[in-house]
Amino acid sequence: MKQITTGDMLHAYGSFGLHMNYAVRLTVRLTDRIDGVILANAIRKTQKRFSFLSVRMRKDVESLYYEENPNPVVLLNTDAQISLNSEQSNYHVWAVCYKDDHIHLDIYHGISDGTGMYMVLSTLLFYYCADRYGVSDHTGIRTLEDPVEPEESADPQDYLPTLDPDQMPRPRVEPAFSLIEDGGMTPSSPSVWDIEIPEEAFMRFTSANDASPGTMISLLIAHTLDEMFPERSKPITSSYIINGRPMLHSPKTHHNCVNTVFFNFNDRIKAMPFDRQCTVYRGITFIQSDEQRVAGAMTVGASRNRMVLGMAPTYEARKYAFGQMLEGGKKLFSYMVSYVGKWRIKSLEPYILEFWTHVPMANNFLVEIAAVNGKIFLTIHQSFAEDVVIQGFLNQLKKHGIPFHVRRTTDNDAAVFPEP
């Protein structure tokens, strides 16, 4: 039996408390039609390398927990949404699908964040491309030649100190402008827009304005909402997700290890020239990514998670309590932006034509960014029916001369993860 770790418990309990399917689909389109036999062999090797992810989620009257799962990770020939931790997936928390020239890695977000998922995907693609294309360079990829180190399965947040509740800060954060509650958007089932942008053109624009891809997208969405809703009473506040591993000196963990940068698009920033606004957003990112600040914030978060777990003696109570925490967090942001970073595995890059990230709806409007092989891939997620915000954002791209191509619009196809 494996207990849910400190860094994962908010995600695991909270997602069930909100009845949210908490899984991610990473989709890569390769240069050729997928060979299912070769892919199945790659899955076997990847499962062996990441044996600590071969688990099934269970629950009892008190807690969620994992038990070892000796069954093979499944390969399904489909583009359709699948179900993890169920009979369809051999009760695993991850699975692989393929169709034509696409590979989908479906994985439970409650056990890993984007950086951890990229580690699994890199290994899977390496073993596939090794047999399919003769790739041999596995620099930066975890393979069976590398020993599995304890740090990979350890959660650094388990080792953070527990603060006295009276010493934990209680910041007063103003509720952010909500597209549904304040903007009048009509709630609907989650949908995604996959948008491709030439990297050279986008980076030329961001560099000229002292921005990074993540801060630029964050700022352009702020401009979109400011123009659409000028007479609002709540601030446009966004969350920019950052990787907390460097600050906790735990680069190898697969567990959820993220923190957030707060961007508040206020009148003072709005009055600045556009390039100065970009500089401010980058400066905020640097300041709020400071090691001491992030480690402190994650220590507070870990302490709060332990406190909630201790005060809720049953599974149902924990599910409710963490669900309320997740719901409260959603009210702090008008939208979210996440960018894991440019694809770093050079040996695999020539074979990747597209790379899309479909995630759970942790906010009513959020953007996932990927970059590989000369292209930027934006997936915009929303949980309301109107497309006016996305169209407004696309108009921002046009305004600044940034070319783009809407590849597809579809329902969110990230996997279902039923409550055990």
Side-chain angles (χ1 to χ4, degrees):
M1 178 189 294
K2 298 180 180 180
Q3 298 297 327
I4 306 298
T5 63
T6 304
D8 291 343
M9 60 179 62
L10 173 63
H11 305 269
Y13 287 103
S15 59
F16 291 131
L18 296 184
H19 307 288
M20 181 192 309
N21 284 319
Y22 213 63
V24 172
R25 168 164 279 191
L26 299 177
T27 295
V28 290
R29 178 179 168 231
L30 300 187
T31 52
D32 298 291
R33 189 178 182 88
I34 304 304
D35 186 314
V37 174
I38 294 177
L39 183 56
N41 188 49
I43 293 171
R44 285 192 291 272
K45 293 178 179 178
T46 302
Q47 180 179 8
K48 187 175 181 180
R49 178 58 184 79
F50 292 90
S51 57
F52 46 81
L53 293 179
S54 288
V55 294
R56 175 181 181 178
M57 177 177 273
R58 295 279 203 173
K59 72 177 180 185
D60 55 28
V61 294
E62 293 182 359
S63 304
L64 292 169
Y65 62 91
Y66 295 112
E67 63 180 19
E68 292 186 6
N69 186 346
N71 296 320
V73 170
V74 302
L75 175 62
L76 301 169
N77 183 206
T78 182
D79 277 330
Q81 184 182 53
I82 67 165
S83 178
L84 296 173
N85 209 56
S86 68
E87 183 178 5
Q88 185 183 27
S89 62
N90 264 347
Y91 295 98
H92 275 288
V93 297
W94 68 282
V96 179
C97 302
Y98 74 103
K99 191 74 172 180
D100 300 327
D101 53 0
H102 289 75
I103 294 175
H104 309 288
L105 172 62
D106 291 293
I107 188 166
Y108 178 47
H109 199 349
I111 202 170
S112 187
D113 60 12
T115 299
M117 295 173 190
Y118 272 35
M119 298 173 188
V120 178
L121 180 65
S122 297
T123 300
L124 177 70
L125 291 181
F126 168 72
Y127 280 121
Y128 179 80
C129 291
D131 286 349
R132 188 78 163 85
Y133 301 111
V135 173
S136 58
D137 180 6
H138 52 85
T139 303
I141 304 171
R142 299 181 188 181
T143 68
L144 292 171
E145 297 178 24
D146 308 310
V148 179
E149 301 181 57
E151 292 85 353
E152 295 182 42
S153 56
D155 183 347
Q157 294 180 73
D158 281 343
Y159 304 98
L160 293 174
T162 299
L163 302 177
D164 186 293
D166 294 333
Q167 297 177 342
M168 286 194 286
R170 293 177 174 84
R172 286 189 173 185
V173 182
E174 186 178 0
F177 177 83
S178 166
L179 284 163
I180 289 179
E181 295 177 6
D182 307 306
M185 299 294 107
T186 308
S188 70
S189 58
S191 61
V192 297
W193 291 53
D194 288 334
I195 302 166
E196 180 182 309
I197 299 175
E199 183 180 28
E200 183 179 0
F202 188 69
M203 294 307 297
R204 186 166 56 245
F205 175 69
T206 58
S207 298
N209 287 284
D210 192 29
S212 67
T215 59
M216 178 59 77
I217 295 300
S218 297
L219 187 58
L220 291 179
I221 297 173
H223 276 259
T224 301
L225 300 187
D226 180 63
E227 292 180 6
M228 290 181 63
F229 306 100
E231 302 298 327
R232 60 187 181 275
S233 60
K234 295 179 182 177
I236 295 173
T237 305
S238 62
S239 164
Y240 182 40
I241 304 300
I242 58 172
N243 178 17
R245 287 169 177 77
M247 298 76 170
L248 296 185
H249 305 283
S250 301
K252 297 179 180 180
T253 181
H254 71 78
H255 291 281
N256 284 279
C257 194
V258 298
N259 203 248
T260 190
V261 170
F262 288 73
F263 293 136
N264 188 343
F265 188 70
N266 55 37
D267 290 340
R268 186 177 179 185
I269 295 176
K270 180 181 176 180
M272 298 176 180
F274 184 75
D275 60 346
R276 185 72 62 84
Q277 295 177 21
C278 294
T279 299
V280 169
Y281 267 45
R282 284 202 75 186
I284 292 172
T285 303
F286 288 134
I287 292 171
Q288 295 192 22
S289 298
D290 173 76
E291 179 176 321
Q292 187 174 358
R293 178 196 173 276
V294 172
M298 297 185 78
T299 298
V300 171
S303 298
R304 186 175 291 118
N305 285 351
R306 296 188 194 110
M307 181 178 68
V308 171
L309 193 75
M311 293 174 63
T314 66
Y315 166 70
E316 290 296 328
R318 292 171 177 180
K319 181 175 72 170
Y320 176 79
F322 282 109
Q324 291 302 297
M325 287 174 64
L326 269 188
E327 183 65 25
K330 291 169 65 174
K331 297 181 184 300
L332 301 180
F333 308 112
S334 306
Y335 59 95
M336 301 176 72
V337 175
S338 178
Y339 176 42
V340 172
K342 186 174 180 178
W343 182 260
R344 297 180 179 88
I345 311 300
K346 296 298 182 182
S347 61
L348 303 178
E349 190 169 27
Y351 307 100
I352 302 175
L353 299 180
E354 298 178 18
F355 188 176
W356 306 104
T357 307
H358 296 176
V359 301
M361 290 303 302
N363 190 274
N364 292 321
F365 193 84
L366 63 92
V367 183
E368 288 285 341
I369 309 172
V372 64
N373 203 2
K375 297 172 184 175
I376 303 286
F377 299 99
L378 305 181
T379 296
I380 300 181
H381 306 65
Q382 66 175 46
S383 57
F384 49 87
E386 297 84 357
D387 67 358
V388 290
V389 180
I390 290 178
Q391 294 298 340
F393 169 73
L394 296 180
N395 286 336
Q396 287 288 328
L397 296 181
K398 294 175 184 176
K399 173 183 175 181
H400 293 287
I402 303 172
F404 64 88
H405 178 68
V406 178
R407 283 290 183 185
R408 67 189 60 81
T409 62
T410 184
D411 293 337
N412 194 333
D413 59 355
V416 173
F417 198 94
E419 190 171 350

